[in-house]
């Protein structure tokens, strides 16, 4: 059985050859602290954030695209494999998983080891920029520059690829989750008003943008007045959401600029003339194409389904492993492990 897993900091997608996507849910587990027993996965676990007693903990096993909590990572991978194999443990599973470009050999080995411990029989690792670029339809094997910008939950990667090699990658451990935190921090510091993580994410999705949007519609949100300790409602213009995101957006634009500046002139010329592609949840913020055109003179195409681009790339690798064997990391990273 062949399984592709886009193991994201915020959301994960599991695809099974001949069955299609079998799961797309938050990368979260809820556990009983005392016993360590898992009581919920995915949407149910994430819905418990901020609503559980002290005896229960909601854990996101990954931080910035790599494992931060090993026991929880093993449990969520076990859950994914159970769903994919329909609990038929005798089915041998070949899994391909993407990792951030900036992941260290030790971090990659941890992911491989936890996947095997969770029940996988064979694990292939692929750098996420390759999967994202393949999923976005970029000609990465040709001798010309391709640019892929992937704004996920934990990491943003702006990567130039040519001849199936990464020429330069700017990796920021700052993406969708950092945007949510920035919105929370903004309202606490400017309005003395506390909102939760899920409220911040909803505000980002509904009202977030990278350029000024007219008209500046009013936004009403519920939270807690930190001065009084009582719940309340706050009304603000939508432009405040964009203002809260601006420091992060500026860093993403500069990362893209640095990627292009580090390229040989011919490859930089390819990208400036042919443009690039943007994927990941952060690509859904309104206005990216216009902002990058104004700031860098760069035409960027937003993928038609940016949340599934990495999964589509992993599927191509999984279904034609021989053709894409040079994108698989296993021997390279294992040789780099400390003895």
């Amino acid at each position: 059985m062949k399984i592709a897993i886009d193991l994201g900091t915020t959301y994960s997608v599991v695809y099974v050859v001949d069955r299609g996507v079998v799961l797309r849910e938050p990368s979260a587990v809820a556990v009983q602290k005392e016993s360590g027993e898992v009581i919920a996965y995915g949407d149910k676990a994430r819905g418990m954030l901020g609503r559980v007693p002290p005896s229960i903990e909601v854990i996101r096993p990954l931080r910035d695209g790599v494992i931060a909590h090993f026991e929880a990572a093993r449990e969520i991978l076990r859950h994914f494999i159970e769903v994919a194999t329909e609990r038929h443990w005798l089915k041998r599973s070949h899994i391909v998983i993407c990792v951030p470009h900036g992941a260290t050999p030790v971090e990659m080995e941890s992911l491989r080891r936890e996947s095997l411990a969770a029940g996988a029989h064979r694990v292939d690792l692929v750098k996420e920029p390759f999967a994202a670029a393949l999923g976005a339809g970029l000609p990465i094997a040709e001798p010309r520059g391709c640019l892929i910008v992937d704004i996920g939950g934990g990491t943003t990667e702006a990567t130039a690829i040519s001849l199936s090699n990464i020429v330069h990658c700017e990796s920021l451990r700052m993406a969708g989750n950092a945007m949510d935190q920035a919105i929370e921090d903004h309202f606490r510091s400017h309005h003395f008003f506390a909102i939760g993580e899920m409220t911040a994410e909803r505000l980002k999705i509904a009202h977030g943008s990278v350029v000024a949007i007219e008209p500046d519609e009013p936004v009403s949100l519920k939270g807690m007045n930190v001065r009084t300790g009582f719940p309340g409602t706050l009304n603000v213009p939508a432009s405040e959401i964009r203002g809260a995101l601006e420091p992060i957006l500026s860093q993403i634009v500069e990362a893209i600029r640095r990627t292009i500046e580090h390229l040989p002139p011919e490859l930089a010329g390819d990208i400036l003339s042919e443009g690039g592609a943007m994927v990941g949840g952060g690509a859904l913020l309104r206005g990216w194409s216009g902002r990058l055109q104004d700031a860098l003179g760069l035409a960027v195409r937003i993928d038609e389904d940016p949340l599934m681009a990495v999964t589509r790339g992993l599927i191509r690798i999984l279904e034609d492993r021989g053709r894409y064997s040079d994108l698989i990391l296993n021997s390279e990273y294992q040789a780099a492990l400390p003895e």
Side-chain angles (χ1 to χ4, degrees), residues 104-122:
T104 67
V106 171
E107 289 169 334
M108 289 188 281
E109 172 61 16
S110 297
L111 179 57
R112 188 189 73 87
R113 185 175 60 247
E114 295 304 324
S115 300
L116 293 171
H121 295 90
R122 178 178 181 179

Side-chain angles (χ1 to χ4, degrees), residues 36 43 59 92 155 165 203 231 289 314 319 326:
D43 288 307
I59 303 170
R92 295 187 62 82
T155 58
N165 280 276
L203 289 171
S289 295
L314 290 176
E319 294 182 334
D326 55 338

